[in-house]
Amino acid sequence: ASQVVAARASAVDGCFTSTVHCGYSYLAYTTKRSIVIVSEYSKTEQLIPFPFGETEVRSIAWNSVTSALSVAFPNSVYHYIPEIISEQETTVRRWQQVKYMRFPDIEIRQLAWLSRLGQLLICGSTIEIWKFPFNLLSGHSLTAKERADLAEEFPELLWKTESTNPVYYCAVSPDSRYFVTAGRCDRLPKLWFTFYEESDDSLDDPANDP
């Protein structure tokens, strides 16, 4: 084994994630000031500085179907999608910010994508599931019109419940049908199941497997 990245990663739980996009493996982790994306060739593909005013990242999560990347801070979530751009006479893949969500009344601790449902699980002082616009999940580069439309479209809150103890840990099953949450001190993992439309054949399409 050999060291492939030098930047010091955050010690916060949930600040490391990996995905496969267009046949290539990527991992992402956070440092004190940025999000680092590394390719399977041990190459730092991209450094994404924290948005202005944000200093404490809480969690990052990749959608395993489309590789949309979501980054949580205490009261906000930012969303990035992979796009092909021209750079120095070649084309490269870069994650571009396309969406921002503000949560002034809750404290966020963890994120996880219910990837096969196109929904994001947000955990902390509450547990919430949000459904996202198609353009954020389509897996293709956006046109100028699509980007403008997406900026105006807000995700839909599908479900929300208060948590007796703040949720510090969460994980989702590969088929997105179940997720588990746990607090820091209660020693009580809770298993949840999700509802989906029975007519949604995408859940059984092998092409959509994470």
Side-chain angles (χ1 to χ4, degrees), residues 106-141:
I106 67 172
E107 183 177 4
I108 301 170
R109 289 289 177 180
Q110 285 287 319
L111 293 178
W113 273 99
L114 302 163
S115 297
R116 300 182 72 176
L117 302 179
Q119 299 169 7
L120 184 67
L121 176 66
I122 299 177
C123 299
S125 54
T126 64
I127 305 173
E128 304 181 6
I129 295 179
W130 291 79
K131 183 177 180 179
F132 276 75
F134 171 77
N135 282 341
L136 186 68
L137 305 170
S138 61
H140 69 270
S141 297

Side-chain angles (χ1 to χ4, degrees), residues 27-144:
L27 64 85
Y29 66 95
T30 64
T31 67
K32 287 186 176 182
R33 299 180 180 86
S34 63
I35 305 139
V36 183
I37 298 177
V38 180
S39 72
E40 63 183 19
Y41 301 110
S42 303
K43 175 185 176 183
T44 300
E45 292 286 339
Q46 188 176 358
L47 293 175
I48 305 175
F50 288 171
F52 179 77
E54 304 285 8
T55 59
E56 183 186 358
V57 69
R58 289 290 176 83
S59 180
I60 59 177
W62 245 318
N63 182 306
S64 60
V65 174
T66 67
S67 296
L69 178 65
S70 298
V71 182
F73 296 87
N75 302 107
S76 56
V77 180
Y78 295 78
H79 305 281
Y80 304 80
I81 64 168
E83 296 190 291
I84 302 298
I85 64 173
S86 297
E87 189 175 283
Q88 297 180 350
E89 300 182 352
T90 186
T91 56
V92 294
R93 185 168 286 105
R94 293 289 182 264
W95 273 259
Q96 308 288 338
Q97 182 184 330
V98 293
K99 204 69 183 172
Y100 162 74
M101 301 168 67
R102 179 73 177 165
F103 298 88
D105 300 323
I106 67 172
E107 183 177 4
I108 301 170
R109 289 289 177 180
Q110 285 287 319
L111 293 178
W113 273 99
L114 302 163
S115 297
R116 300 182 72 176
L117 302 179
Q119 299 169 7
L120 184 67
L121 176 66
I122 299 177
C123 299
S125 54
T126 64
I127 305 173
E128 304 181 6
I129 295 179
W130 291 79
K131 183 177 180 179
F132 276 75
F134 171 77
N135 282 341
L136 186 68
L137 305 170
S138 61
H140 69 270
S141 297
L142 300 181
T143 64

